[in-house]
Amino acid sequence: MRTFTAVVNPTAGGSASARTLIPLARRLREAGATLTVEYSRDLGHARDLARTAAARGDVVLGVGGDGMAGGVGGALAGTDAVYGIVPAGRGNDFARQLGLPTGIEELAELLLHGEATPVDVLTVNGEPALGSVYAGVDAVANTYANDTRLLRGKASYTWGALRAFAGWRPTTYTVTVDGTPMERRAYTVVAANSGYYGFGRRIAPGAVVDDGLIDVVIIRHGSRRLFVTVMNELETGSHVGRPEVEVLRGTEVRIEASRDLPYGCDGELPGRLPVTVGVLPSALRVIRP
């Protein structure tokens, strides 16, 4: 029987992490598992808690949204630790990519008996991450979505995207994939390990978490109608069939822009462009279906 340490973001998703963990913890303990719960003050603290638990040989559970999933997972990258993700935030996009169940019974069964298999980990200016890096209207939208307290989930991101688009100025990007530079006038450039971002939008439907490659999606600048259409098509991933959308693959991507812009990563906003994204193949063992 497995021994778990749950690292919890107590504020993720409006305290959804605590609401999710209570019945999950009960189910795991009823099955005979040992579970320790550690509440994090911030992502740095969460990483420290995860490393300590892994050193004891515990299965580490990251309880929260994409920021927690990426922060805890990144801390365990390159080790033999076994990692379990408990989706309890607003976006849960990496969990969605892995096909993790959301029901307590199904999730508990997976954590108790599921196999840990390797997935790739991104490096973002040298720091580990799991899902994707995005640098354009979406990163600005992320800022607005994180700031709002009136809207939740997809509604907050849609509102943020429309607000970001209203103030968007044409931007020229220099995108270098495996040493080959190219210039594109675009709304955004995304370097993806996971196919999902922005609360369930399929930005990179061809992305695979264990192929050792980064999917690079460039949405070129165009009309307002194009932007709104692509936003709608992100729900299904059909936007990649448009001539204005370019998809590349590589093992290292550098994104630069003609003006100062933020970049987002795993639901967080860690910095400003430029950013260099690499991949560590099969660097993290994750319990997944």
Side-chain angles (χ1 to χ4, degrees), residues 56-269:
R56 290 195 302 266
D58 292 1
V59 175
V60 181
L61 304 181
V63 186
D66 287 306
M68 177 63 82
V72 172
L76 303 178
T79 74
D80 292 329
V82 174
Y83 183 38
I85 296 173
V86 178
R90 291 195 297 174
N92 303 319
D93 286 310
F94 195 72
R96 185 176 289 106
Q97 176 72 22
L98 296 181
L100 298 183
T102 56
I104 295 299
E105 288 297 323
E106 296 82 1
L107 183 58
E109 183 68 17
L110 176 66
L111 294 173
L112 287 165
H113 304 295
E115 183 180 357
T117 57
V119 301
D120 301 337
V121 172
L122 298 178
T123 59
V124 183
N125 283 346
E127 296 297 322
L130 293 185
S132 64
V133 175
Y134 40 95
V137 172
D138 37 20
V140 179
N142 198 163
T143 303
Y144 295 138
N146 287 350
D147 287 344
T148 182
R149 295 294 178 264
L150 299 177
L151 300 172
R152 298 289 181 186
K154 283 188 177 182
S156 68
Y157 189 84
T158 299
W159 175 83
L162 293 174
R163 182 177 173 188
F165 177 62
W168 183 254
R169 291 184 284 119
T171 302
T172 299
Y173 291 87
T174 300
V175 184
T176 304
V177 180
D178 290 342
T180 302
M182 61 198 78
E183 285 195 353
R184 297 290 187 269
R185 195 163 173 260
Y187 285 118
T188 190
V189 179
V190 181
N193 184 33
S194 167
Y196 291 94
Y197 87 153
F199 307 99
R201 290 173 167 85
R202 298 194 68 190
I203 183 63
V208 179
V209 297
D210 55 6
D211 63 354
L213 295 173
I214 303 165
D215 281 37
V216 184
V217 181
I218 303 172
I219 300 177
R220 297 181 183 175
H221 192 85
S223 67
R224 289 180 177 270
R225 177 177 293 182
L226 170 68
F227 177 82
V228 174
T229 300
V230 169
M231 280 281 293
N232 291 330
E233 291 176 345
L234 287 175
E235 297 291 335
T236 62
S238 61
H239 63 291
V240 297
R242 290 189 165 274
E244 299 90 352
V245 178
E246 188 173 1
V247 181
L248 307 166
R249 289 186 175 90
T251 58
E252 184 179 86
V253 183
R254 183 169 174 82
I255 306 170
E256 302 168 87
S258 58
R259 62 187 179 94
D260 182 47
L261 284 173
Y263 68 86
C265 176
D266 291 345
E268 304 292 322
L269 291 160

